[in-house]
Amino acid sequence: MDEIKKMDGKSLDLTNENIEILKKLFPEVVTEGKIDFEKLRVILGDEIEKSDEKYEFTWYGKTNAVRLSQTPSMGTLRPDKGSSKNWDTTGNLYIEGDNLEVLKLLQKAYFGKIKMIYIDPPYNTGNDFVYKDDFRDNIKNYKEMTHQTSQANTETNGRFHTDWLNMMYPRLKLARNLLREDGIIFISIDDNEEANLKKICDEVFGENNFIGNIIWNSTKSVTNTALISVSHTYNLVYCKEIDFYIKNREKFRFKEDGEGFINPDNDPRGPWKADPFQVGGWRPNQQYEIVNPKTGVVYRPNPGCSWKNDYKKFKELLADNRIVFGLTGEGAPMRKRFMYEAIERGKVAKTLWTEIETTTNGTQLLKKLFDNKIIFENPKPVELIEKMLELGTYGDEDIILDFFSGSATTAHSVIKFNAENNKKLKFILVQLPENTDEKSEAYKAGYKNICEIGKERIRRAGDKIVEETGKTDLDIGFKVFKLDDSNIKTWDPDYSNENTVQYLLDMVNNIKEDRAKEDVLFEILLKLGFELTTAIEEIEVNKHKIYNVAKGALLVCLEDEISKDILDEIPKHKSEFVETRVVFRDNAFQSDADKLNAIQNLKQQGIIDVRSI
């Protein structure tokens, strides 16, 4: 007998996903539907570490941290059109909530879709807040956190570093899932946890996928009371798959701006720079004499050095007018590098960034945006994130994720970068609505939590960039969503009523009384793997509504009763390209017979996947 599939309300179950991958890779280890780990050990052979003494990084609570990253969320993200900007047209997202739960909820819709992640997590200085996750019910825990002042993770805490590691580890594991195969992550950190962060990133992303540790000269001032005044911030860089970047080195480079290129000899190939022809390292086949034809001076490599190419290649370059002897013809041999080649190849990034603005500049920029008020301490400068965007993105519409968004510097940077480079990068920002201090300028200015600051910054920064550039086609909007428990009573494990009769009556309508149809719609989108910015068309049928998602890929009707008119209308909008899915409310059918008739009617029209909530 045909039945409507019941949606379970869970985010992506990563444990089951991993098991299914193992089954596909090693079908011979499956016994009665389960993994036989002894067989798996045999197949993997010497790759299994048998010794009790092995190199690993562990701490109290690590096992629970792993489990926490694999436990599906039963929560949802509720739309907040009131605090959004350009809701109907924007491709950007601003999400208020605990980033652990939000990352879980994004798994189905954004798995393998994020090009670049930038995060500036708590540095664990003893003054900043470190999330207290609750393995049993993190949604409930989140609601409790948002109604009280966030507590700092002080150094007097016996598990000072452990708490920070337990907070970061599951979030990084979930973040990795969201990265594309060519995806990349930048993480800012200071000395307090840099060593620990490097170790967990090696484990989560793979130490072979470590690209570098960028040292940013973040502070120009000197602290005279310190033994050594700290003037840097670390920025760890990892990719999803290093082989991609090895094969496509040119994609991970800064653009060459053409500055300093000249053409004193009118070379038809255009402007060039003279690069040294000598390199470090002694190579026997690159040791030979070069005679300057104008002066007769004989040049050999310095001790311990070599010419850049062997003699045969040197002769080819000389014949091709690629070797010059200084700009006047009277110096040592140098090699021409043409501007068109430099622009094509780009500049290799270095691990030391001294030319980037400091945190003081970031503070001053924000101060100007907010009427000369300091409403957020030490935000990252826009220029820093823009430089990372230049390295980490190359598509016109790549998605950028920041799940410790703070004052929303990342959103500001994305909009500015788009304006300067004619791009359409999209951002997803996630931030816990931490309370602002009642004595702070932010609180006095009316910003009661960090999310209010972040959203207002995006509004002001976007308007200012449009005003300054005149580019009215920029996407300066964002859709706001807020983390909450499920809209569906049957999906909410906490929903109960001591009065059995009342509970049964409540369950006749399984959508919570304070939730709107759009709340439910977006929960369905998340749980079925549709992006939150997916195009949605509203279809009216005799004052009832059908939501047409992604041009017929999903059709949702949340009316209390499913009429024949609705059933007749739905097939008119099914997708031409993918299998159409249809979702109804389970209690919208008066009887099982009505439900069966609906399934049969839709099946006759080529719609097989029918679900209910």
Side-chain angles (χ1 to χ4, degrees):
M1 177 179 172
D2 292 315
E3 292 183 358
I4 292 181
K5 302 174 188 176
K6 287 282 287 184
M7 291 178 62
D8 62 7
K10 294 180 181 178
S11 62
L12 188 64
D13 189 328
L14 294 172
T15 301
N16 285 338
E17 287 288 312
N18 291 333
I19 290 172
E20 290 305 314
I21 291 171
L22 274 177
K23 288 179 178 180
K24 289 177 182 177
L25 287 174
F26 309 109
E28 62 270 41
V29 306
V30 180
T31 303
E32 295 183 344
K34 296 185 178 180
I35 302 294
D36 185 328
F37 283 96
E38 287 306 313
K39 284 185 180 179
L40 185 60
R41 289 175 66 91
V42 172
I43 288 172
L44 294 177
D46 292 337
E47 295 300 316
I48 294 291
E49 175 60 67
K50 296 178 181 179
S51 172
D52 291 335
E53 295 182 358
K54 57 187 176 184
Y55 178 79
E56 64 177 331
F57 181 50
T58 190
W59 62 90
Y60 178 83
K62 182 178 181 180
T63 300
N64 266 349
V66 174
R67 289 172 60 205
L68 196 57
S69 69
Q70 296 175 331
T71 305
S73 176
M74 297 296 289
T76 191
L77 299 176
R78 298 177 64 188
D80 178 7
K81 289 187 176 181
S83 62
S84 302
K85 180 174 182 176
N86 301 341
W87 175 275
D88 293 328
T89 58
T90 186
N92 302 316
L93 296 174
Y94 188 98
I95 303 173
E96 299 184 27
D98 173 9
N99 53 18
L100 178 66
E101 292 302 303
V102 173
L103 287 170
K104 289 180 181 180
L105 290 168
L106 296 179
Q107 292 294 306
K108 279 187 180 177
Y110 293 90
F111 193 96
K113 293 182 179 180
I114 304 298
K115 178 61 182 74
M116 175 182 143
I117 297 174
Y118 170 74
I119 55 171
D120 185 21
Y123 288 1
N124 211 18
T125 59
N127 298 313
D128 45 11
F129 168 60
V130 174
Y131 300 46
K132 308 296 183 187
D133 298 319
D134 187 329
F135 184 78
R136 292 161 297 179
D137 188 347
N138 217 44
I139 296 287
K140 184 177 180 181
N141 179 53
Y142 160 68
K143 288 193 169 186
E144 290 174 357
M145 283 194 300
T146 55
H147 287 91
Q148 62 186 14
T149 302
S150 302
Q151 299 297 311
N153 186 38
T154 62
E155 293 183 12
T156 57
N157 176 8
R159 291 179 177 153
F160 178 67
H161 293 291
T162 294
D163 284 351
W164 189 86
L165 287 165
N166 284 329
M167 182 273 293
M168 287 297 296
Y169 193 82
R171 288 165 172 81
L172 289 175
K173 282 188 71 70
L174 290 163
R176 183 186 181 278
N177 295 336
L178 299 178
L179 283 176
R180 289 175 7 187
E181 288 305 301
D182 60 348
I184 193 165
I185 182 170
F186 297 82
I187 310 174
S188 294
I189 199 70
D190 74 357
D191 289 300
N192 286 284
E193 297 291 354
E194 187 272 338
N196 286 332
L197 178 64
K198 176 70 168 61
K199 288 175 183 175
I200 59 175
C201 283
D202 280 347
E203 184 171 319
V204 170
F205 297 100
E207 57 185 274
N208 59 309
N209 291 319
F210 173 65
I211 290 182
N213 190 352
I214 296 168
I215 311 301
W216 164 46
N217 185 193
S218 54
T219 306
K220 297 290 193 282
S221 59
V222 176
T223 305
N224 290 316
T225 56
L227 294 175
I228 297 179
S229 183
V230 177
S231 60
H232 68 278
T233 298
Y234 299 103
N235 296 273
L236 295 178
V237 188
Y238 284 81
C239 63
K240 183 77 170 280
E241 181 48 68
I242 194 68
D243 286 347
F244 173 85
Y245 284 95
I246 291 173
K247 294 173 183 175
N248 299 276
R249 295 175 187 274
E250 74 283 354
K251 292 187 181 296
F252 191 75
R253 293 192 174 173
F254 293 120
K255 294 192 297 289
E256 180 67 73
D257 57 15
E259 185 178 346
F261 286 85
I262 57 174
N263 195 2
D265 60 350
N266 295 315
D267 194 305
R269 289 166 291 190
W272 49 269
K273 278 184 180 179
D275 287 347
F277 193 61
Q278 183 174 253
V279 293
W282 193 89
R283 300 175 182 85
N285 65 327
Q286 291 165 225
Q287 304 289 323
Y288 48 88
E289 293 183 348
I290 296 178
V291 180
N292 184 320
K294 184 174 182 180
T295 64
V297 175
V298 177
Y299 292 92
R300 290 190 64 83
N302 293 332
C305 296
S306 304
W307 296 127
K308 187 171 285 187
N309 302 105
D310 61 24
Y311 188 69
K312 180 181 178 183
K313 181 65 176 178
F314 164 73
K315 295 292 285 184
E316 291 175 1
L317 293 170
L318 187 65
D320 192 32
N321 191 25
R322 292 251 179 177
I323 299 295
V324 294
F325 294 85
L327 296 180
T328 62
E330 299 180 353
M334 304 183 82
R335 179 173 171 170
K336 283 183 178 181
R337 177 165 57 96
F338 291 98
M339 187 168 73
Y340 76 87
E341 295 173 321
I343 291 174
E344 187 175 308
R345 287 186 60 195
K347 291 193 296 185
V348 175
K350 297 181 180 180
T351 56
L352 184 61
W353 290 5
T354 57
E355 71 280 14
I356 301 295
E357 295 176 341
T358 65
T359 51
T360 301
N361 297 98
T363 301
Q364 291 303 315
L365 174 63
L366 204 55
K367 188 176 178 181
K368 288 179 182 177
L369 269 181
F370 282 83
D371 309 317
N372 213 34
K373 295 183 177 68
I374 298 178
I375 50 90
F376 195 90
E377 296 290 339
N378 299 318
K380 293 292 181 288
V382 167
E383 187 184 3
L384 175 69
I385 315 299
E386 278 198 280
K387 199 172 179 74
M388 292 175 180
L389 290 170
E390 187 178 347
L391 282 180
T393 67
Y394 48 82
D396 285 346
E397 299 188 23
D398 290 343
I399 303 176
I400 318 303
L401 170 65
D402 181 350
F403 52 91
F404 286 100
S405 75
S407 68
T409 301
T410 297
H412 190 160
S413 304
V414 167
I415 295 171
K416 187 167 181 286
F417 186 83
N418 284 341
E420 294 168 347
N421 297 278
N422 295 316
K423 299 278 189 178
K424 294 182 180 179
L425 305 183
K426 295 175 280 189
F427 62 78
I428 301 175
L429 266 54
V430 185
Q431 176 60 42
L432 187 79
E434 298 175 45
N435 296 330
T436 52
D437 190 316
E438 293 185 8
K439 296 178 182 178
S440 67
E441 283 195 51
Y443 188 90
K444 293 172 184 175
Y447 303 105
K448 300 301 186 287
N449 63 57
I450 293 177
C451 291
E452 293 178 8
I453 295 171
K455 289 181 291 186
E456 183 60 19
R457 177 183 188 170
I458 303 172
R459 294 186 194 102
R460 295 187 182 208
D463 289 341
K464 185 174 179 61
I465 290 169
V466 169
E467 179 185 341
E468 291 175 346
T469 64
K471 294 188 175 182
T472 56
D473 59 339
L474 286 175
D475 183 356
I476 59 174
F478 53 95
K479 290 186 175 184
V480 176
F481 288 84
K482 295 184 177 182
L483 178 66
D484 210 330
D485 48 27
S486 175
N487 302 289
I488 315 300
K489 294 172 186 174
T490 53
W491 293 354
D492 187 348
D494 278 345
Y495 185 79
S496 63
N497 193 309
E498 292 181 4
N499 184 328
T500 305
V501 174
Q502 183 59 48
Y503 177 74
L504 292 172
L505 290 172
D506 286 349
M507 294 310 294
V508 170
N509 180 2
N510 63 341
I511 297 176
K512 293 176 181 175
E513 286 74 14
D514 62 338
R515 306 299 171 92
K517 288 177 181 175
E518 280 202 335
D519 292 331
V520 181
L521 173 65
F522 280 102
E523 181 162 4
I524 292 170
L525 260 62
L526 275 175
K527 303 295 165 66
L528 290 181
F530 287 86
E531 296 180 15
L532 292 169
T533 53
T534 302
I536 302 172
E537 178 192 2
E538 295 183 6
I539 302 163
E540 293 286 339
V541 182
N542 293 334
K543 298 184 179 180
H544 294 302
K545 191 175 294 184
I546 300 171
Y547 296 101
N548 182 349
V549 181
K551 297 182 178 179
L554 174 66
L555 297 162
V556 180
C557 183
L558 300 171
E559 300 296 341
D560 294 332
E561 184 177 346
I562 304 301
S563 66
K564 185 178 183 302
D565 290 342
I566 291 172
L567 291 174
D568 289 343
E569 183 70 23
I570 284 175
K572 297 177 184 177
H573 304 279
K574 70 177 184 178
S575 173
E576 298 177 11
F577 309 103
V578 297
E579 183 182 356
T580 295
R581 286 180 277 185
V582 174
V583 177
F584 298 114
R585 288 177 59 176
D586 194 55
N587 53 14
F589 298 97
Q590 299 300 311
S591 66
D592 288 341
D594 290 343
K595 192 184 298 185
L596 180 59
N597 287 334
I599 295 173
Q600 292 298 333
N601 288 340
L602 293 173
K603 184 182 286 186
Q604 289 172 8
Q605 299 294 326
I607 298 175
I608 309 299
D609 192 342
V610 183
R611 309 184 184 207
S612 68
I613 56 170

